[in-house]
Amino acid sequence: MELPTPQVADQYAALVASAETLVVGLDFDGTLAPIVDDPTQAHIHPDAPDLLLELAKRVRGIAVVTGRPARQALALGDLDVLGARVAELGKEFHVLGQYGNERWTSTERRVISPRPPHGLASFVREVPTLLRRAQAPDAYVELKGLAVALHTRRLPDPQGSFSRMLPLIEQAAERHGLSVEPGRLVVEVRAPGMHKGLAVRTLADRLEAGAFLFAGDDLGDVEAFDELRTMRKEGTPTLIVCSDGGDGPDVLAELADVVVQGPDGVMDVIRDLLRDIDGHRSGTS
C-alpha cells in the first residue's frame, strides 16, 4: 500500500500500533464486492472471508456498513457464516444495513430494523410516473424496505437517463419528506437523519475504538470519511481508503488518505495491514 505523505504514514503507523482497539469498517458494493449490472448478483471478493477472519483475530471489531438491506448483505456475502466464525474468536462482527438504520451483530444474530419512513409508500407509487417523465421507464427499481433505489446502469444511455431522472426524484422526495442519496448510476431515496457518518460514530462508541479504518467507494461514504477526519482531529488514529474502480466520484479520492483499485485493492490493504500488525508485534516493522 502506497502511503502518499509523511502525515498519512504517521497515521497508519499509529493505527497499526493501536491494533488491539482498531475497528475496521467496509462498504459492500465497490469495496468488498465488484459493481455489477444486477445488484442482486453482487458477491464479495473470494479472498475476503479468510482475510477478514484473520483480521478479526488482531483487531477489536469489523463492520460492513452498507446502503443495502442488512439481510441482503448477509446473504450475498455469507456474512452470517463469517460472523459466527468471528464470534468463536470472542470478537465482534457487525453488519450495518441501509446506512446504519439496520443492525446485525455476531452476538445477537438478528436484524434490528425500524419501521419504513413516513412518505416512502407514497413516493414509491409515484416512481413509474417519474421514470416515464425522465424517459427512463425501464430503470431498475430496487425496493429495500426502508428505502428505494433507482438504477440506470442497465439502460442504453445510463448516464443520460440518470441525469434526467435525478432532479425529478429530488423534487418528489422533498415533497414526501425523504432524503436523496445519489451514487454511481443509482439514486436512493430514504428517511432523513441517518447516514454512514453517524453509523461509524455509533460503532466507534459502542466498541470503544482506539483507531478506525474505513474503506468506501461512492458518495454515500462521504459522511463516513468526514467522520473519520473528525475522529482524527480528536486524537484517534484513522485511515481513509477510497476503493476506486475507475468511475468513482472525484470527491471521494480527494477526501481519502489512500486510493486503491476496487475490491482487489481493498484486499491488498487488508493483507498489508495484517503483515504490518504482525511485524509491529514482533518488533520487526
Side-chain angles (χ1 to χ4, degrees), residues 40-148:
T40 66
Q41 299 301 312
H43 299 285
I44 65 172
H45 194 286
D47 295 345
D50 288 341
L51 286 173
L52 291 177
L53 185 63
E54 286 301 311
L55 187 61
K57 296 175 182 178
R58 295 160 172 83
V59 302
R60 176 156 292 175
I62 299 174
V64 175
V65 187
T66 175
R68 285 183 179 270
R71 289 182 180 86
Q72 190 179 73
L74 285 161
L76 288 173
D78 286 331
L79 298 180
D80 51 345
V81 175
L82 177 59
R85 296 175 72 189
V86 171
E88 291 173 357
L89 301 172
K91 299 297 186 73
E92 291 202 38
F93 186 84
H94 295 238
V95 177
L96 303 182
Q98 307 216 39
Y99 296 87
N101 279 303
E102 296 182 329
R103 186 181 81 247
W104 180 95
T105 69
S106 53
T107 51
E108 294 173 300
R109 307 281 313 229
R110 64 190 180 96
V111 174
I112 298 173
S113 178
R115 287 179 167 277
H118 178 73
L120 183 63
S122 299
F123 173 82
V124 169
R125 287 194 292 270
E126 195 176 336
V127 164
T129 300
L130 296 171
L131 295 181
R132 286 195 296 270
R133 288 176 58 196
Q135 302 172 51
D138 296 324
Y140 176 62
V141 179
E142 182 185 7
L143 301 176
K144 297 185 172 185
L146 301 181
V148 58

Side-chain angles (χ1 to χ4, degrees), residues 125-239:
R125 287 194 292 270
E126 195 176 336
V127 164
T129 300
L130 296 171
L131 295 181
R132 286 195 296 270
R133 288 176 58 196
Q135 302 172 51
D138 296 324
Y140 176 62
V141 179
E142 182 185 7
L143 301 176
K144 297 185 172 185
L146 301 181
V148 58
L150 310 171
H151 301 257
T152 64
R153 188 172 296 273
R154 301 180 188 177
L155 300 181
D157 178 20
Q159 188 58 58
S161 299
F162 178 83
S163 298
R164 292 190 300 271
M165 179 180 72
L166 181 58
L168 298 175
I169 297 300
E170 289 175 331
Q171 294 166 13
E174 184 177 3
R175 290 197 304 273
H176 293 285
L178 300 169
S179 178
V180 173
E181 186 73 67
R184 292 196 237 176
L185 302 179
V186 59
V187 56
E188 181 160 317
V189 178
R190 54 189 169 87
M194 176 54 79
H195 53 71
K196 289 188 181 182
L198 289 174
V200 162
R201 174 60 73 171
T202 300
L203 191 65
D205 290 345
R206 175 169 177 162
L207 296 181
E208 298 181 341
F212 210 114
L213 182 154
F214 187 87
D217 78 308
D218 210 342
L219 292 175
D221 299 304
V222 167
E223 288 92 349
F225 283 20
D226 286 340
E227 186 59 40
L228 259 69
R229 286 176 168 266
T230 298
M231 292 166 64
R232 183 177 301 176
K233 291 177 182 177
E234 296 169 349
T236 300
T238 63
L239 189 74

